[in-house]
Each structure stands twice: as structure tokens, then as C-alpha cells.
Amino acid sequence: VYIIKVTWSNGGTEVIYRRYSKFFDLQMQMLDKFPMEGGQKDPKQRIIPFLPGKILFRRSHIRDVAVKRLIPIDEYCKALIQLPPYISQCEEVLQFFETRPDDLTPPKE
């Protein structure tokens, strides 16, 4: 689970918690919704940032994999919000960064 501090344009801040699988789900939604920007027709046209792929690993390696993904996930979030508003402010992105009920009771681990 990654801890993300979200700062909205109105200055408000919130802390949210997201599993890697939720980032992956968002990425798939973005590529489906914006095929041109995802480089499906022409890879040179891609502006949607890359997200490191899923990794199969043993239970004992969960923390190591999570730590290795920390910088790429940070870069992904920053790149995503720098995209043109029709992407960075689309419903899927806004919903991803909005506070959810389970963010109010953070994970114990």
C-alpha cells in the first residue's frame, strides 16, 4: 500500500492509500479511454506515462518490490497530473485521487 499526499488546486490536502493494483487499474482505464495519447496507433504520440508492469514474486519479496516501485509511482503521479486537462482532470483520474471511505481507516501494516 502506498501513502499519497494529494494537494488539490484549491490548496486542500488529503492523504490517501492505494495498492499497486489500483494504479494498474487506472493505467488500463487511461489507455482504453485515450488510445491515441496511449500510443496505440503511433508510439511516438504517447503522452500517457508508463507504469512499471506487474511482477510475480514470492510473499517474502513484497516489501522489496514495493520499495523499488516507489520512485516510478511518484514519477507516474507527477507526470499524470502534468498532462493536458482533458486527461489530468478526467473523471477516472479525479476519482483515483479522491478520498475513499477506506482512506479514513488507514492500513495497519
Side-chain angles (χ1 to χ4, degrees):
V1 176
Y2 295 91
I3 303 167
I4 305 159
K5 180 180 178 185
V6 178
T7 304
W8 296 99
S9 57
N10 67 4
T13 61
E14 299 167 339
V15 173
I16 62 171
Y17 303 86
R18 296 290 178 270
R19 295 188 176 284
Y20 184 79
S21 61
K22 296 302 177 193
F23 283 97
F24 193 80
D25 293 346
L26 173 64
Q27 180 72 344
M28 294 299 97
Q29 290 175 332
M30 300 302 291
L31 294 174
D32 285 345
K33 186 169 184 168
F34 304 107
M36 293 291 291
E37 294 83 347
Q40 287 182 19
K41 289 195 164 88
D42 180 0
K44 293 181 191 121
Q45 298 288 323
R46 183 176 180 134
I47 60 172
I48 292 177
F50 286 95
L51 184 68
K54 288 187 173 184
I55 301 172
L56 296 175
F57 50 86
R58 294 192 306 277
R59 201 98 178 108
S60 61
H61 292 92
I62 291 174
R63 182 165 176 73
D64 293 342
V65 171
V67 169
K68 284 181 185 156
R69 286 179 173 160
L70 200 53
I71 291 172
I73 284 180
D74 182 54
E75 291 171 351
Y76 176 79
C77 290
K78 288 176 179 172
L80 192 61
I81 63 171
Q82 294 297 317
L83 292 175
Y86 74 95
I87 299 175
S88 64
Q89 296 174 28
C90 74
E91 194 62 31
E92 292 82 356
V93 172
L94 294 177
Q95 284 180 356
F96 180 83
F97 289 107
E98 283 177 349
T99 304
R100 300 178 182 164
D102 50 340
D103 292 323
L104 303 176
T105 53
K108 301 279 186 276
E109 298 175 27

